[in-house]
Each structure stands twice: as C-alpha cells, then as structure tokens.
C-alpha cells in the first residue's frame, strides 16, 4: 500500500516520498559526484543541507557548475510570499542561498511577492501584505546576504522595471496552462492568473544561468519557465530543491502559518520555544522511560531529531552521536528536546540581534546598495 | 427583417442601429435638455459632434454636469491602443475630449496601451507597439490639449504607479466575467486576461467623477468598472459614447487599419486623399448624371456626406445647404466629393503642422508638464 501525498505550490499533504517526487516531477537527484564537484569549488566545504540531502533534487545544477567553471558565471534567485511572521522553515532557502553566494560570489535576487499574497487571499489587504513584506525583509536580511551583491524587491514597487519582460512571458502562457499548473478556476481573479509571469520574470534578470534554491513545491513555476525561456533568448532556469522541514506536530505535511502549534516563529521567545517543543514536538520515543531504555527511540519520525538533523546541529559527529544514543534508548525524548530547545533559542537570539541591525540596511538591499541601485536603472526586456 | 449588427471592443460589423444599441447596452440617450444644460455652461456653444448626435449616448453625464455645477469638478479619461498610423476616425474622441477640456478646464488622462496591442496580436513585438505609441502620441498632442492639464502615459512605463490600484481592481474580476465580456478563450494569454484592470485603473486617478469620451464599442470595460468602483471607494465612471465614422467603403462596420482603402490616414498626402475619396468613397448618388439630376442623391448612405456631417463641415447652414442640394440632385457626387477632399486636405495639412510642433512637447505631456510631473509623484492605491 503506497503512502499518499500531495505536493503543489498551494498545498503539501501527507508523508512526502522524496524519491517518488523526483520521478513525478522529472527532476534529478543530487549525486555524490555532483556534490564532490561542488565541494572542490567551495574550498572543501559542503553546506550541512547538502551533506544531509535536505537539498536533494535539482535541474541543470550540473550545467550551472560547468558555467561557473568556464567563467561564464550564474546568478541566484529566490523569494518569499510575505506573511505575518516567518517561521524557521521559511529560512531554509535563504540560509542555503546565502551560503552559495558566499562560496561563488554571485548576485542574489530576492522577490517579495506582496501582490501574490494579496491576490490569493480574499481577506488580506494590500496594506497588510506590504507591512508583512517589510517585516519579512528584516528576517531575510538578518540571514547575512552580501549588500553589494543582493537585491531585495517587492513586486508592487519593482513592477515598473519588470513589466516589459513580464508581458513577454505572459504572452506565451495561456489560461489553460496556468489553470492546470496552479489549480486555478474560472472564478479565479485575473490578478492571480497574471501573477506567474511576475514570478518567472526574475529568472531573466541576467543573460546567465539562473539557479533557484527553493522548496520543491515551487517547481511548477520553473517547469513553465523552462518551456518558454529559450524562445525569449534566456536560459532555462536551474533549480536546487529542498525537502520540507517537518511540522512540530509530526512528520507529515509542511509547517503552516495558520496552525501556530506546528511551527516555531522567528519571534518566539525562549519560554514559548520551550513550551511548544515540550508540548507539541512529535516524539519517536517510547511511552515510558522503561520502554524507551529497553527499545530506544525512532529518530526517523522524531521531529526534534529531524530539526537538529536538517538545521540546528551542523556537527556531523555530534548528530551521529545523538542519533545513536536516541536509537539505543540511552537518550530520552526529554533530553533530545532539551538539546533542540537550547540550539533553537541560541539561533533565535542571534537572529533577532541581526534582525535589529537589519533595520538600518533595508534601504541598502532595496534601493541604494551596489546591485540594488544598478537594478533600479534597468528595464527588463 | 431587422438589420444584423455586432458591436464589441474587438469587432464592429454590419450597419449599426444606434437606438437599439442604447437599449442593448443599457445606456441613455443624450437628451435635448441635457444638451441645453451643457450649452449654458459652455458659453452658449455646443460642439458640432454634440449638436449632430455623433456623441449620442451616455451614462451619468447628468451627474458629471451636476458635480461640475456644485464645484466638485470631474476629470476626463480616454485612450488609444497604438497602431502603425492613425486614421481620421481615431481622432473623434480626442477632438471632443479637447473641447470638453477647453470648456470645463479639467484634467485629461490619456492611456496609450502599448501592452494591450502587444498582448492581443501574436505577430507584434513590444518594440513595434512602443514605437507606434510614440508616433500616435504626436497625433494626439497635435489635437491641442492643455499641457498643464493633460497627462499622456504608456502602460509599460506608468505601470509602476498604477499597479497597486490595478491589482485591487483585478482582485474583484474573475476570469469568467472577463471571458464573457471580452470574448476571451481558455487559450488566451494571461497578459491580455489581466489587461482590463489596467484599462479600468485610470478611472480611479482622482476622487472625482471620471467622464470617458470613447467609441461605444469600449462600453464593456466601463460596465465592469461600474460594478466594482464603489466598493473600492471611487465613483462609477461616466461615459459619453460616439458613433463610428463610417468607413470609406460604405455605411457598415468601422474603419480598419488593416484595410487601407477603408480609411484616410493622418499621413495621407493630398494626392492620396483625392484618389481614395474619388475611388472608394461609397456614394449615395445615382449611376448617371441624368438620373442623379432627376432623382437626387441619398445623403444617409453617402460616405462623403457623412464625413462632412460628422466631422469636417462644422457650419450648420452650409451642411444643410449641401444636404439639400445633394438630395435634390443639384449637387453631383463628384462635386460633393470635391468639397470633402478640400476640407480633408486642409485639415490634414494643419494637423501635420501641429504634429511637427508636437515633437517638442512629448516630454511635457508625458513627464515634465504640470499634471504629468504631479502624476509621476503619485502611487495609485
């Protein structure tokens, strides 16, 4: 009996089988050989999310690496649909993108889709989504991007420079195609129908290959992009896809802003973090200490372990030790959770410190920085 | 047996019955009483196109006049989908709009839809539609608008300031509605599906009533606008609708840029004008001079007469005399055509002189003039 799961840009349900997803979506597994190649180019270092296959799938990453080796270069693009408060799962593509920028010294474009969020939700006002955009941009800047090589832009502002290329893209996409790809209806509004053109536009900001680190749920946008890019004189966008950090409440689906108990927010204070992890984090341990000592825990389904593995314990020896101790029953669920709570709170404290500093940098990333000011001079055709 | 005719924004076919159209579209006839009221406000003068019912139908024109009388004011909005060369029919809304501006001293917004033209026609490039936009703007400026009170803008440039209000509009319009209203298909591209939001946006440039002089074929856009305007805190747009200047080739349909023999272009030289009128202008005269002298001509179907009546012979006494002489057989078709040729060539010569001068004014109307520079400072919400 196969596990049932769904992965679309608007819904992730069930326990995702990532190997199946590679076949379903027609992407490629990131091979050990490709990782080895990247490792050689990044001074022998491989990001923990690559080492542990959190970024597990790709399209044309090999060609991006080839272009880099040949001196042709490439650029990075990722984005965010603004929400009232980001949770830690939202940081995964940004943290990884920042690492790639550090290692390859390339430009990063970050699209903040205040229009999409407004258009997709009947109840949100544009004032709301724009204030969330400001707020989320602080969290994004806090990740540590290079202010000379990073441009963060909101659709409702940068549309001015993107509209020409966006309508060239739009002219090549029919309602039928968009409808099938994004689950739209005859009753969908005409703004959200046009929106995919704006998500695709930044892949054509430079005449180089574009590499997009993003959750694999965003893949349908890039399939459309790849169908039309070359006819417009641009490269098919390359992607590197991440898995979903499992929600606190269990290994299925993805963290959701609408269910606060499934996620840790970047604004959660230490007490809240402790309470949420202790109360909600789905455990792979046994019902009693005695049974746990005897049979051990199951790290594969234990969310505290998964979060340490995906994100918070970068040291390979330490994570191996934790896994062994938990599996053997030597480490109790409570102890495991304590490790995560401590790591999480250290991370969040540091994040919030950088977030405060980010307030002075918003103008640099959006308007005045080296790349940003160049971009405001350009019209994309 | 009723005459068959079709009037939509993308097609005008058959001999249009304008009284029926008023019923079909649910608009109102411009009454003698309303004309009288306007005449009193404009110093006793009524534009020839109002006197002769070329502008024949309206929505809320009475409310616009009331607002004006109360000192609330109003503004004018019209537009143009750029084409390779404008013909004289294209000038009708502009000439009339200019007259209203002169009389009421109000702002005029003119949208040049370089995006729409590009998106609607598979074969056109954006470079083409933008160069036609520049070209058409010269013809529009030549009509003589007030540079302090007129803003001419192209969608691909002014989108920056219009996008926020456009997505608020877009969010209220579903694909189903747009499809029915504009004859779109599942295979229509997502750019042209979004476009109506941009045609509606300028009706919300001021918190006053907007009056739109335009061909009645554009009415479906304004019906949509009227459905949603108040929910966004704006007025329902008022319209004043014109008939179609009949094509040279006969009283049916509307002049078409794709059939050059149906129209006189603003660039047609005197010889070309003469040749076209003599060769193509559909005549209401009799087959021979003898029969014409005996039975007389029919001005109702004679295109040369209609053009004089709609546009080129403003003197009511003179047009009456021409009509009588033609109907009685005293005036021959060739003589009637000569009158039109002379009037047309005088008009075109003067137009082209003003068009040359317009080259120095493009920046004023688009960017630097009083209203234009104010508009570039605004973001429409």
């Amino acid at each position: 009996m196969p596990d049932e799961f769904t992965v679309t840009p608007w819904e992730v349900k069930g326990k995702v089988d990532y190997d199946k997803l590679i076949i379903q979506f027609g992407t490629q597994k990131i091979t050990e050989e490709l990782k080895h190649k990247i490792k050689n180019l990044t001074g022998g270092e491989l990001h923990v999310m690559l080492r542990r296959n959190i970024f597990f799938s790709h399209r044309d990453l090999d060609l991006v690496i080839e272009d880099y080796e040949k001196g042709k270069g490439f650029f990075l693009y990722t984005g965010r649909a603004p929400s009232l408060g980001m949770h830690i799962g939202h940081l995964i593509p940004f943290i990884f993108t920042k690492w790639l920028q550090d290692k390859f010294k390339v430009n990063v474009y970050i699209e903040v889709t205040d229009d999409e969020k407004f258009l997709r939700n009947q109840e949100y006002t544009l004032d709301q989504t724009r204030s969330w955009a400001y707020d989320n941009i602080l969290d994004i800047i806090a990740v540590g991007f290079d202010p000379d090589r990073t441009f963060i832009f909101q659709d409702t502002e940068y549309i001015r420079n993107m509209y020409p290329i966006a309508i060239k893209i739009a002219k090549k996409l029919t309602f039928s195609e968009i409808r099938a790809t994004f689950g739209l209806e005859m009753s969908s509004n005409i703004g959200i129908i046009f929106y995919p053109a704006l998500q695709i536009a930044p892949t054509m900001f430079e005449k180089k290959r574009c590499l997009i680190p993003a959750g694999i749920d965003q893949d349908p946008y890039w399939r459309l992009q790849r169908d039309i890019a070359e006819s417009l004189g641009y490269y098919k966008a390359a992607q590197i896809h991440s898995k979903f950090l499992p929600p606190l409440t269990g290994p299925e689906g993805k963290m959701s802003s609408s269910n606060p108990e499934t996620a840790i927010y970047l604004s959660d204070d230490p007490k809240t973090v402790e309470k949420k992890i202790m109360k909600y984090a789905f455990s792979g341990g046994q019902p009693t200490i005695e049974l746990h000592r005897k049979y051990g825990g199951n790290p594969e389904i234990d969310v505290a372990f998964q979060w340490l593995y995906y994100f918070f314990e970068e040291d390979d020896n330490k994570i191996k030790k934790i896994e062994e101790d938990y599996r053997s029953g030597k480490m109790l669920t409570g102890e495991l959770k304590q490790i995560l709570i401590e790591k999480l709170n250290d991370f969040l404290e540091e994040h919030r410190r950088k977030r405060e500093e980010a307030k002075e940098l918003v103008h640099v990333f959006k308007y005045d920085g080296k790349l940003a000011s160049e971009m405001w001079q350009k019209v994309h055709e």
Side-chain angles (χ1 to χ4, degrees), chain A residues 138-157:
Chain A
L138 295 179
D139 286 312
I140 293 167
I141 292 173
V143 168
F145 291 98
D146 178 348
D148 285 338
R149 289 198 179 92
T150 306
F151 178 45
I152 303 178
F153 57 101
Q154 284 170 241
D155 284 344
T156 63
E157 297 179 356

PDB file of all heavy atoms in Angstrom, chain A residues 138-157:
ATOM      1  N   LEU A 138      13.254  42.141   6.901  1.00  0.00           N
ATOM      2  CA  LEU A 138      14.202  42.220   8.026  1.00  0.00           C
ATOM      3  C   LEU A 138      14.757  40.831   8.358  1.00  0.00           C
ATOM      4  O   LEU A 138      15.959  40.661   8.574  1.00  0.00           O
ATOM      5  CB  LEU A 138      13.517  42.810   9.267  1.00  0.00           C
ATOM      6  CG  LEU A 138      13.056  44.267   9.176  1.00  0.00           C
ATOM      7  CD1 LEU A 138      12.386  44.672  10.497  1.00  0.00           C
ATOM      8  CD2 LEU A 138      14.220  45.208   8.855  1.00  0.00           C
ATOM      9  N   ASP A 139      13.869  39.835   8.390  1.00  0.00           N
ATOM     10  CA  ASP A 139      14.320  38.469   8.679  1.00  0.00           C
ATOM     11  C   ASP A 139      15.251  37.941   7.587  1.00  0.00           C
ATOM     12  O   ASP A 139      16.189  37.201   7.858  1.00  0.00           O
ATOM     13  CB  ASP A 139      13.114  37.537   8.833  1.00  0.00           C
ATOM     14  CG  ASP A 139      12.393  37.764  10.165  1.00  0.00           C
ATOM     15  OD1 ASP A 139      13.082  37.815  11.202  1.00  0.00           O
ATOM     16  OD2 ASP A 139      11.159  37.892  10.166  1.00  0.00           O
ATOM     17  N   ILE A 140      14.958  38.332   6.343  1.00  0.00           N
ATOM     18  CA  ILE A 140      15.785  37.864   5.223  1.00  0.00           C
ATOM     19  C   ILE A 140      17.165  38.510   5.281  1.00  0.00           C
ATOM     20  O   ILE A 140      18.189  37.831   5.143  1.00  0.00           O
ATOM     21  CB  ILE A 140      15.073  38.152   3.880  1.00  0.00           C
ATOM     22  CG1 ILE A 140      13.799  37.293   3.767  1.00  0.00           C
ATOM     23  CG2 ILE A 140      16.012  37.893   2.705  1.00  0.00           C
ATOM     24  CD1 ILE A 140      12.866  37.703   2.642  1.00  0.00           C
ATOM     25  N   ILE A 141      17.187  39.804   5.531  1.00  0.00           N
ATOM     26  CA  ILE A 141      18.477  40.497   5.617  1.00  0.00           C
ATOM     27  C   ILE A 141      19.311  39.915   6.763  1.00  0.00           C
ATOM     28  O   ILE A 141      20.533  39.765   6.649  1.00  0.00           O
ATOM     29  CB  ILE A 141      18.267  42.020   5.817  1.00  0.00           C
ATOM     30  CG1 ILE A 141      17.663  42.635   4.546  1.00  0.00           C
ATOM     31  CG2 ILE A 141      19.580  42.716   6.184  1.00  0.00           C
ATOM     32  CD1 ILE A 141      17.265  44.109   4.681  1.00  0.00           C
ATOM     33  N   ALA A 142      18.631  39.554   7.858  1.00  0.00           N
ATOM     34  CA  ALA A 142      19.332  39.020   9.040  1.00  0.00           C
ATOM     35  C   ALA A 142      20.126  37.754   8.718  1.00  0.00           C
ATOM     36  O   ALA A 142      21.061  37.391   9.434  1.00  0.00           O
ATOM     37  CB  ALA A 142      18.330  38.754  10.161  1.00  0.00           C
ATOM     38  N   VAL A 143      19.769  37.067   7.642  1.00  0.00           N
ATOM     39  CA  VAL A 143      20.478  35.847   7.242  1.00  0.00           C
ATOM     40  C   VAL A 143      21.920  36.161   6.835  1.00  0.00           C
ATOM     41  O   VAL A 143      22.800  35.297   6.911  1.00  0.00           O
ATOM     42  CB  VAL A 143      19.697  35.116   6.120  1.00  0.00           C
ATOM     43  CG1 VAL A 143      20.510  34.012   5.473  1.00  0.00           C
ATOM     44  CG2 VAL A 143      18.384  34.558   6.682  1.00  0.00           C
ATOM     45  N   GLY A 144      22.169  37.411   6.409  1.00  0.00           N
ATOM     46  CA  GLY A 144      23.561  37.807   6.198  1.00  0.00           C
ATOM     47  C   GLY A 144      24.008  37.928   4.752  1.00  0.00           C
ATOM     48  O   GLY A 144      25.195  37.757   4.451  1.00  0.00           O
ATOM     49  N   PHE A 145      23.096  38.248   3.847  1.00  0.00           N
ATOM     50  CA  PHE A 145      23.484  38.395   2.434  1.00  0.00           C
ATOM     51  C   PHE A 145      24.471  39.539   2.242  1.00  0.00           C
ATOM     52  O   PHE A 145      24.527  40.478   3.048  1.00  0.00           O
ATOM     53  CB  PHE A 145      22.233  38.629   1.575  1.00  0.00           C
ATOM     54  CG  PHE A 145      21.353  37.431   1.499  1.00  0.00           C
ATOM     55  CD1 PHE A 145      20.231  37.302   2.324  1.00  0.00           C
ATOM     56  CD2 PHE A 145      21.646  36.409   0.607  1.00  0.00           C
ATOM     57  CE1 PHE A 145      19.431  36.183   2.270  1.00  0.00           C
ATOM     58  CE2 PHE A 145      20.842  35.281   0.543  1.00  0.00           C
ATOM     59  CZ  PHE A 145      19.735  35.169   1.368  1.00  0.00           C
ATOM     60  N   ASP A 146      25.206  39.450   1.139  1.00  0.00           N
ATOM     61  CA  ASP A 146      26.192  40.470   0.771  1.00  0.00           C
ATOM     62  C   ASP A 146      25.446  41.700   0.238  1.00  0.00           C
ATOM     63  O   ASP A 146      24.787  41.622  -0.805  1.00  0.00           O
ATOM     64  CB  ASP A 146      27.113  39.870  -0.304  1.00  0.00           C
ATOM     65  CG  ASP A 146      28.160  40.852  -0.807  1.00  0.00           C
ATOM     66  OD1 ASP A 146      28.053  42.071  -0.517  1.00  0.00           O
ATOM     67  OD2 ASP A 146      29.079  40.398  -1.508  1.00  0.00           O
ATOM     68  N   PRO A 147      25.560  42.843   0.922  1.00  0.00           N
ATOM     69  CA  PRO A 147      24.765  44.016   0.494  1.00  0.00           C
ATOM     70  C   PRO A 147      25.163  44.556  -0.889  1.00  0.00           C
ATOM     71  O   PRO A 147      24.369  45.238  -1.525  1.00  0.00           O
ATOM     72  CB  PRO A 147      25.028  45.063   1.583  1.00  0.00           C
ATOM     73  CG  PRO A 147      26.154  44.548   2.396  1.00  0.00           C
ATOM     74  CD  PRO A 147      26.337  43.097   2.133  1.00  0.00           C
ATOM     75  N   ASP A 148      26.357  44.238  -1.345  1.00  0.00           N
ATOM     76  CA  ASP A 148      26.773  44.689  -2.680  1.00  0.00           C
ATOM     77  C   ASP A 148      26.224  43.808  -3.787  1.00  0.00           C
ATOM     78  O   ASP A 148      26.187  44.211  -4.944  1.00  0.00           O
ATOM     79  CB  ASP A 148      28.305  44.666  -2.799  1.00  0.00           C
ATOM     80  CG  ASP A 148      28.942  45.817  -2.048  1.00  0.00           C
ATOM     81  OD1 ASP A 148      28.246  46.822  -1.806  1.00  0.00           O
ATOM     82  OD2 ASP A 148      30.125  45.689  -1.701  1.00  0.00           O
ATOM     83  N   ARG A 149      25.872  42.588  -3.452  1.00  0.00           N
ATOM     84  CA  ARG A 149      25.507  41.606  -4.479  1.00  0.00           C
ATOM     85  C   ARG A 149      24.083  41.098  -4.317  1.00  0.00           C
ATOM     86  O   ARG A 149      23.719  40.079  -4.908  1.00  0.00           O
ATOM     87  CB  ARG A 149      26.455  40.398  -4.415  1.00  0.00           C
ATOM     88  CG  ARG A 149      27.861  40.659  -4.873  1.00  0.00           C
ATOM     89  CD  ARG A 149      28.551  39.340  -5.191  1.00  0.00           C
ATOM     90  NE  ARG A 149      29.912  39.547  -5.655  1.00  0.00           N
ATOM     91  CZ  ARG A 149      30.979  39.557  -4.852  1.00  0.00           C
ATOM     92  NH1 ARG A 149      30.830  39.366  -3.555  1.00  0.00           N
ATOM     93  NH2 ARG A 149      32.179  39.752  -5.375  1.00  0.00           N
ATOM     94  N   THR A 150      23.282  41.790  -3.520  1.00  0.00           N
ATOM     95  CA  THR A 150      21.938  41.274  -3.258  1.00  0.00           C
ATOM     96  C   THR A 150      20.912  42.371  -3.496  1.00  0.00           C
ATOM     97  O   THR A 150      21.093  43.509  -3.049  1.00  0.00           O
ATOM     98  CB  THR A 150      21.821  40.758  -1.801  1.00  0.00           C
ATOM     99  OG1 THR A 150      22.870  39.817  -1.580  1.00  0.00           O
ATOM    100  CG2 THR A 150      20.476  40.089  -1.563  1.00  0.00           C
ATOM    101  N   PHE A 151      19.854  42.019  -4.206  1.00  0.00           N
ATOM    102  CA  PHE A 151      18.763  42.955  -4.465  1.00  0.00           C
ATOM    103  C   PHE A 151      17.473  42.331  -3.967  1.00  0.00           C
ATOM    104  O   PHE A 151      17.061  41.271  -4.435  1.00  0.00           O
ATOM    105  CB  PHE A 151      18.678  43.249  -5.965  1.00  0.00           C
ATOM    106  CG  PHE A 151      17.542  44.174  -6.352  1.00  0.00           C
ATOM    107  CD1 PHE A 151      17.281  45.338  -5.633  1.00  0.00           C
ATOM    108  CD2 PHE A 151      16.745  43.877  -7.455  1.00  0.00           C
ATOM    109  CE1 PHE A 151      16.239  46.194  -6.010  1.00  0.00           C
ATOM    110  CE2 PHE A 151      15.706  44.728  -7.836  1.00  0.00           C
ATOM    111  CZ  PHE A 151      15.449  45.888  -7.108  1.00  0.00           C
ATOM    112  N   ILE A 152      16.855  42.988  -2.997  1.00  0.00           N
ATOM    113  CA  ILE A 152      15.557  42.535  -2.484  1.00  0.00           C
ATOM    114  C   ILE A 152      14.496  43.491  -3.004  1.00  0.00           C
ATOM    115  O   ILE A 152      14.642  44.708  -2.876  1.00  0.00           O
ATOM    116  CB  ILE A 152      15.550  42.517  -0.932  1.00  0.00           C
ATOM    117  CG1 ILE A 152      16.688  41.618  -0.412  1.00  0.00           C
ATOM    118  CG2 ILE A 152      14.192  42.049  -0.413  1.00  0.00           C
ATOM    119  CD1 ILE A 152      16.796  41.574   1.119  1.00  0.00           C
ATOM    120  N   PHE A 153      13.463  42.949  -3.628  1.00  0.00           N
ATOM    121  CA  PHE A 153      12.462  43.843  -4.238  1.00  0.00           C
ATOM    122  C   PHE A 153      11.057  43.305  -4.023  1.00  0.00           C
ATOM    123  O   PHE A 153      10.827  42.109  -3.963  1.00  0.00           O
ATOM    124  CB  PHE A 153      12.727  44.017  -5.737  1.00  0.00           C
ATOM    125  CG  PHE A 153      12.747  42.720  -6.496  1.00  0.00           C
ATOM    126  CD1 PHE A 153      11.647  42.313  -7.252  1.00  0.00           C
ATOM    127  CD2 PHE A 153      13.865  41.899  -6.467  1.00  0.00           C
ATOM    128  CE1 PHE A 153      11.659  41.115  -7.946  1.00  0.00           C
ATOM    129  CE2 PHE A 153      13.886  40.694  -7.164  1.00  0.00           C
ATOM    130  CZ  PHE A 153      12.782  40.309  -7.896  1.00  0.00           C
ATOM    131  N   GLN A 154      10.123  44.261  -3.882  1.00  0.00           N
ATOM    132  CA  GLN A 154       8.705  43.913  -3.779  1.00  0.00           C
ATOM    133  C   GLN A 154       8.063  44.092  -5.143  1.00  0.00           C
ATOM    134  O   GLN A 154       8.306  45.094  -5.822  1.00  0.00           O
ATOM    135  CB  GLN A 154       8.007  44.853  -2.804  1.00  0.00           C
ATOM    136  CG  GLN A 154       8.310  44.533  -1.360  1.00  0.00           C
ATOM    137  CD  GLN A 154       7.823  45.617  -0.423  1.00  0.00           C
ATOM    138  OE1 GLN A 154       8.633  46.216   0.283  1.00  0.00           O
ATOM    139  NE2 GLN A 154       6.531  45.874  -0.409  1.00  0.00           N
ATOM    140  N   ASP A 155       7.211  43.167  -5.507  1.00  0.00           N
ATOM    141  CA  ASP A 155       6.555  43.245  -6.811  1.00  0.00           C
ATOM    142  C   ASP A 155       5.834  44.569  -7.022  1.00  0.00           C
ATOM    143  O   ASP A 155       5.920  45.162  -8.092  1.00  0.00           O
ATOM    144  CB  ASP A 155       5.539  42.099  -6.972  1.00  0.00           C
ATOM    145  CG  ASP A 155       6.231  40.782  -7.267  1.00  0.00           C
ATOM    146  OD1 ASP A 155       7.421  40.797  -7.635  1.00  0.00           O
ATOM    147  OD2 ASP A 155       5.575  39.734  -7.122  1.00  0.00           O
ATOM    148  N   THR A 156       5.109  45.053  -6.018  1.00  0.00           N
ATOM    149  CA  THR A 156       4.309  46.266  -6.232  1.00  0.00           C
ATOM    150  C   THR A 156       5.186  47.498  -6.438  1.00  0.00           C
ATOM    151  O   THR A 156       4.693  48.538  -6.858  1.00  0.00           O
ATOM    152  CB  THR A 156       3.315  46.555  -5.068  1.00  0.00           C
ATOM    153  OG1 THR A 156       4.046  46.793  -3.887  1.00  0.00           O
ATOM    154  CG2 THR A 156       2.338  45.410  -4.882  1.00  0.00           C
ATOM    155  N   GLU A 157       6.491  47.396  -6.146  1.00  0.00           N
ATOM    156  CA  GLU A 157       7.399  48.510  -6.415  1.00  0.00           C
ATOM    157  C   GLU A 157       8.212  48.279  -7.685  1.00  0.00           C
ATOM    158  O   GLU A 157       8.325  49.161  -8.533  1.00  0.00           O
ATOM    159  CB  GLU A 157       8.354  48.714  -5.236  1.00  0.00           C
ATOM    160  CG  GLU A 157       7.643  49.086  -3.945  1.00  0.00           C
ATOM    161  CD  GLU A 157       8.604  49.262  -2.769  1.00  0.00           C
ATOM    162  OE1 GLU A 157       9.813  49.022  -2.929  1.00  0.00           O
ATOM    163  OE2 GLU A 157       8.117  49.633  -1.687  1.00  0.00           O
TER     164      GLU A 157
END
